[in-house]
Amino acid sequence: MQASWMILASLFFATMSVCIKYASVHFGTFELVFYRGIIGMVFMGGMCRLQGVSLRTPVPMMHVWRSVIGVTSLSAWFYAIAHLPLATAMTLNYMSGVWVAAFLVGGTLVMGRLQDALRQGPIALTVMAGFAGVIMILRPTIEQNQLFAGVVGLMSGLIAAMAYMQVAALGRIGEPESRTVFFFSVGTTLVGLLGSLWIGLTPWTWPAVLWLLPVGLLAAGGQLCMTMAYSKGATLVVANLQYSGIVFAALYGLFLFGDQIPLIGWAGMGLIIASGITATALRNRALPKPPAEEH
């Protein structure tokens, strides 16, 4: 079930990207971040109310840290998008799955749990294979004068991995997913508002303003599904299945924008799908809920 949540989250995020592509013609980046956050905040606040989930949390600083690193990763990714070829910026951001694998396996080795690390090894390899599929689809390039932006893009993936691990930690202590997403939406709203006030707000025009609603709702839905996946699923498997978003985005580009996918791109899609199926199968064959792999 957790695998399904991550695939659904990837579909939501890819669809949101399509809406952002249309909305970005009329609104600035910080405005989109602000509207995405405030719509998500209203939506998740309503969900918390319907579920009877209080917005009072016993671990406020964990939510603050989740929001800080999440928004920092998002900002670094936007900087990379502005200064690098899009394919390169996306590839560096999607290295988050590789960083998650490195954190988990490395942490297990540091703790001296060799058997647990060996059990994680095959699934970690599927994460690497999935990332290889991402490279085959996007085929990133970088120029010498783009090295700083490349480092920023690399950091966006590293910090994103830290954010996903924090989501898993919040799930481990029993924090409701809706509350976790609500507080992240609050952080996104604040950063988007400050940036919008600094750069300036764009007057609303009809029907361009209609794109803002699906951007916010899809972002909230994607964050909720992703949080449920990382909170309750095997982290390495979830990190692998996150690459399915690249497949959805490539297909949207093909059918909506006329982008051409070369043979190596189709092969990359096949590799991502195969690695996701393999990771899920390996996880299902493992012992129920092994502690070292569970988060």
Side-chain angles (χ1 to χ4, degrees):
M1 188 61 189
Q2 283 68 44
S4 300
W5 284 125
M6 192 62 243
I7 293 173
L8 185 59
S10 298
L11 177 60
F12 281 155
F13 286 137
T15 309
M16 178 198 70
S17 298
V18 173
C19 297
I20 287 178
K21 188 174 180 66
Y22 286 116
S24 62
V25 177
H26 309 280
F27 299 97
T29 298
F30 280 112
E31 289 178 287
L32 291 173
V33 171
F34 168 68
Y35 292 125
R36 161 184 162 157
I38 197 167
I39 293 171
M41 192 171 67
V42 172
F43 178 76
M44 296 313 304
M47 178 172 285
C48 287
R49 185 177 181 85
L50 288 174
Q51 293 176 339
V53 174
S54 172
L55 295 180
R56 281 191 139 184
T57 174
V59 286
M61 294 312 297
M62 289 187 71
H63 284 286
V64 169
W65 179 239
R66 158 59 180 129
S67 293
V68 167
I69 56 180
V71 173
T72 301
S73 172
L74 188 66
S75 301
W77 185 39
F78 282 164
Y79 180 89
I81 288 174
H83 295 84
L84 292 172
L86 181 60
T88 304
M90 291 188 67
T91 301
L92 292 172
N93 185 258
Y94 267 85
M95 273 197 72
S96 58
V98 177
W99 290 117
V100 167
F103 288 156
L104 285 176
V105 177
T108 305
L109 287 173
V110 168
M111 294 172 66
R113 292 154 61 179
L114 181 60
Q115 289 299 319
D116 290 336
L118 290 175
R119 185 171 59 238
Q120 290 174 327
I123 301 181
L125 288 176
T126 66
V127 175
M128 306 298 179
F131 183 67
V134 171
I135 294 175
M136 291 167 68
I137 294 174
L138 297 178
R139 302 179 304 285
T141 59
I142 190 167
E143 302 293 336
Q144 188 172 359
N145 62 352
Q146 297 173 329
L147 290 179
F148 178 75
V151 172
V152 174
L154 189 66
M155 293 303 296
S156 77
L158 174 63
I159 299 170
M162 295 169 60
Y164 299 146
M165 300 292 286
Q166 183 71 355
V167 168
L170 286 164
R172 254 196 327 267
I173 63 173
E175 275 294 280
E177 290 85 0
S178 53
R179 186 159 65 200
T180 298
V181 179
F182 173 81
F183 282 117
F184 177 66
S185 298
V186 171
T188 305
T189 302
L190 290 175
V191 170
L193 178 60
L194 291 174
S196 298
L197 292 176
W198 177 47
I199 294 177
L201 289 167
T202 304
W204 284 11
T205 58
W206 189 267
V209 69
L210 294 178
W211 286 112
L212 299 176
L213 185 60
V215 166
L217 293 178
L218 289 166
Q223 283 289 332
L224 181 62
C225 292
M226 183 271 290
T227 301
M228 294 178 72
Y230 271 103
S231 296
K232 299 177 179 177
T235 307
L236 285 176
V237 176
V238 173
N240 188 312
L241 293 173
Q242 185 179 356
Y243 295 140
S244 61
I246 290 288
V247 177
F248 292 132
L251 293 175
Y252 275 137
L254 175 66
F255 293 115
L256 295 181
F257 305 111
D259 297 342
Q260 297 301 310
I261 303 176
L263 183 60
I264 191 173
W266 289 107
M269 287 188 197
L271 184 56
I272 289 174
I273 293 169
S275 67
I277 293 172
T278 303
T280 305
L282 288 171
R283 178 64 181 88
N284 290 339
R285 286 172 53 190
L287 293 174
K289 297 187 177 181
E293 181 190 328
E294 196 59 27
H295 288 292

